[in-house]
Amino acid sequence: MNRVRRWWGNLRLKSKFMLIFCSLLLTSSITVVSLAFLAFYQYDRELYQNTSQLLNTCIDTLESDLTTIDQIGVWSVSNDAVQDMLNDSRLDFSSREPVFLFGRKYREVHEALSYQYNRTSYVISAAIYVDGERLGVGQYSGETGEELQQISEAARKAEGRAVWLPSGKEDSSLIYAREIRDLQTMTFRSFGVLIVRVDLREIVADRITVGMNLNYHPQVTILNENGELLFTDLPEEARLEEKDFPPENSYRQAKLGGRDYFVSYATHSNYGLRYALYVPFDSIAFTLRTMNTLVLLVSVLIVAVCMILCSRIVEQIVQQLHMLMTKIQLFQNGDFQELSHWASDRRDELGDLNRSFDEMSVKFQRLVEDNYVKQLSI
C-alpha cells in the first residue's frame, strides 16, 4: 500500500487526471454495455418463454393423438378376435389353411381392426405380421423383409412396450410397433408384431399450422429416444446444419440454411420423444445483431472521443500549471524581463492564479527597484 501511495504521489499530474478520467469512463461504458446486453438477454428469455409455451402446447396436442394411437394399439394386441386367431393351433399362417376357418378368423380380425383404426384419420395402415404374413387394414406400405426384421427386433427389445420408429418413407410417416404376446393363456409367448403407420406430417400440420392459428409458420423436428429422426419439416439445407440436438430443455439462436431461427428444445414426452420448434425471425435477428454491433461501436466511439477530449482538457490544465512553474523558476532566477512574456488569457481559476502571480511579480519588481533607488540615494 505504501508503494502504491508513493507511486501515486510521484506520478505526473497529467497521468493522474487521465487515469481518473479513463477509469470513470471505462466503468460507465462497461456498465452501459452490460445493461444493454442484459436487456438483449432478457429479450431472449422472454422469447424463449413464449416459444417454450407454444412448444409445450404443441407437444400436448401431438401426444394426445399419439396416445389415441397407442390406446388403439394396446386394444389391438389384446383384442379377443386377435388373440383367438393367434392362439388357434389349427391355423397355418404361411399357407392360410384351412381356408374356411382362416378366412372366418381373418374377417373377424379385419372388422375389429377396421372399426378401431377408423376412429382416427391419421392412421395410414395397421397390420399384424405373423410368420412373415400380413393381416391388416389400410394402405399396404410395402415393407421389405429387412425392414420387417428391423421393426420386429426393435419391438422385441421393447418387451411389450410400444416403440416409435422412422418409416424411411418420403411421406415422413411414423411407425408404431408393438410385440403381440399371448395374453389369453398368460404365457406371454410372442406371436408376432403389430405395425401401424401414422401420417405424422398431417398431425403436425393440423395441430400446429392450423390448430395454433399462428400468423407465422414454425418448423418442427421430432426424434425418438434413440436419437433417430422421426419427422422434420425443415428445408433440406437446414437439416444438414442442425446436428447438435441437446438432451435437455434449452434454447438457442441458430442460422440454418441461410435463415435465422429461434430454436426451443423440449424432452418431456410420454414416449421418450424429443422435440424442437424452429421459429423464423430473420428481421428480428438482423435488428438484434445490428443493435449489438451498434452498441459496441457507439461505446468504443464514445470512449475514444471522451479520451481525446479528456486528454485535451487535461493538457490545457497542465499547460497552465507548467506555465506557472516556468514563471516561478524565472522569478527565482530574477529574470523579470523574460517573465513578462508569459501571460495567460484564461479566465478560470488557473488563469486567475497566473495573473495573481504576474501582479505579485510586478509589485515585487517595483519594490526591488524602489529599494535599489533608495539605497543609491543613501
Side-chain angles (χ1 to χ4, degrees):
M1 183 62 73
N2 291 331
R3 289 183 179 179
V4 173
R5 288 177 178 174
R6 282 197 300 272
W7 171 80
W8 179 257
N10 297 330
L11 199 62
R12 302 292 293 179
L13 191 59
K14 182 178 180 180
S15 300
K16 289 180 181 178
F17 279 133
M18 288 302 298
L19 278 176
I20 293 173
F21 286 147
C22 290
S23 298
L24 294 175
L25 183 62
L26 287 176
T27 302
S28 58
S29 300
I30 291 173
T31 303
V32 170
V33 172
S34 300
L35 290 176
F37 280 98
L38 179 62
F40 296 145
Y41 171 77
Q42 203 60 34
Y43 174 81
D44 283 350
R45 290 294 301 173
E46 289 296 325
L47 188 58
Y48 170 62
Q49 293 295 332
N50 293 331
T51 56
S52 178
Q53 184 176 2
L54 175 62
L55 180 57
N56 292 336
T57 305
C58 294
I59 292 174
D60 292 340
T61 54
L62 285 171
E63 295 213 342
S64 65
D65 293 309
L66 299 183
T67 299
T68 300
I69 295 169
D70 185 38
Q71 290 172 348
I72 295 175
V74 172
W75 179 91
S76 300
V77 299
S78 60
N79 179 260
D80 290 339
V82 174
Q83 290 287 323
D84 285 342
M85 185 174 186
L86 297 181
N87 264 299
D88 197 333
S89 59
R90 295 171 295 174
L91 299 178
D92 184 357
F93 287 89
S94 59
S95 62
R96 299 200 171 196
E97 296 285 347
V99 177
F100 178 76
L101 180 61
F102 187 92
R104 181 169 58 84
K105 294 279 188 180
Y106 177 75
R107 186 169 57 254
E108 292 174 356
V109 170
H110 187 275
E111 289 176 355
L113 293 179
S114 297
Y115 172 76
Q116 288 296 324
Y117 286 103
N118 284 334
R119 291 168 50 191
T120 174
S121 61
Y122 300 126
V123 173
I124 300 174
S125 64
I128 296 172
Y129 286 88
V130 181
D131 297 332
E133 293 297 316
R134 180 180 186 272
L135 311 173
V137 295
Q139 175 185 343
Y140 177 55
S141 53
E143 289 89 356
T144 64
E146 184 179 355
E147 290 173 340
L148 284 175
Q149 185 177 359
Q150 291 175 351
I151 296 172
S152 300
E153 182 66 19
R156 186 188 63 79
K157 289 181 179 179
E159 298 180 344
R161 293 185 297 107
V163 291
W164 303 89
L165 303 170
S167 66
K169 308 293 183 183
E170 294 183 358
D171 58 0
S172 298
S173 55
L174 176 65
I175 294 294
Y176 168 90
R178 185 185 286 271
E179 188 181 25
I180 304 174
R181 296 192 172 192
D182 186 359
L183 302 177
Q184 205 168 55
T185 62
M186 300 301 291
T187 59
F188 299 107
R189 61 192 176 94
S190 178
F191 284 139
V193 61
L194 170 70
I195 299 177
V196 181
R197 196 153 66 96
V198 182
D199 191 347
L200 189 56
R201 183 178 295 278
E202 186 177 353
I203 295 178
V204 172
D206 288 347
R207 300 306 184 188
I208 298 179
T209 307
V210 178
M212 293 297 172
N213 194 23
L214 302 173
N215 55 4
Y216 58 90
H217 178 61
Q219 273 87 34
V220 178
T221 294
I222 305 175
L223 305 182
N224 65 6
E225 56 187 349
N226 297 323
E228 297 173 305
L229 180 65
L230 298 181
F231 173 83
T232 182
D233 55 357
L234 281 174
E236 187 65 34
E237 59 275 10
R239 299 179 196 178
L240 299 175
E241 298 177 20
E242 175 64 315
K243 298 178 181 178
D244 301 324
F245 204 102
E248 69 281 337
N249 298 347
S250 62
Y251 71 95
R252 70 186 180 106
Q253 294 183 28
K255 194 173 187 65
L256 305 174
R259 292 197 66 185
D260 290 292
Y261 292 92
F262 188 88
V263 192
S264 184
Y265 301 96
T267 58
H268 55 281
S269 169
N270 297 326
Y271 305 103
L273 306 181
R274 289 186 284 166
Y275 296 85
L277 185 71
Y278 302 85
V279 179
F281 72 139
D282 304 66
S283 58
I284 298 176
F286 175 77
T287 303
L288 288 176
R289 281 200 299 269
T290 304
M291 289 180 66
N292 287 339
T293 306
L294 282 176
V295 167
L296 288 175
L297 289 178
V298 170
S299 299
V300 172
L301 183 62
I302 289 175
V303 169
V305 171
C306 289
M307 288 184 68
I308 293 173
L309 291 177
C310 289
S311 178
R312 294 286 181 85
I313 294 172
V314 170
E315 183 66 35
Q316 291 180 1
I317 294 174
V318 174
Q319 183 181 11
Q320 295 295 313
L321 293 176
H322 283 168
M323 183 185 296
L324 185 60
M325 291 176 60
T326 303
K327 290 179 180 181
I328 292 174
Q329 291 175 355
L330 292 174
F331 184 83
Q332 288 177 343
N333 297 331
D335 194 351
F336 298 107
Q337 198 68 27
E338 181 68 22
L339 190 62
S340 62
H341 298 296
W342 292 81
S344 175
D345 58 351
R346 290 180 56 159
R347 299 300 176 186
D348 59 358
E349 288 83 352
L350 291 175
D352 293 339
L353 183 61
N354 271 280
R355 282 190 295 274
S356 297
F357 184 82
D358 293 341
E359 291 174 2
M360 182 194 70
S361 300
V362 171
K363 290 179 180 179
F364 182 80
Q365 184 179 3
R366 288 176 181 172
L367 182 62
V368 169
E369 289 176 354
D370 290 344
N371 191 39
Y372 179 71
V373 170
K374 287 180 182 180
Q375 290 294 328
L376 285 178
S377 300
I378 293 172

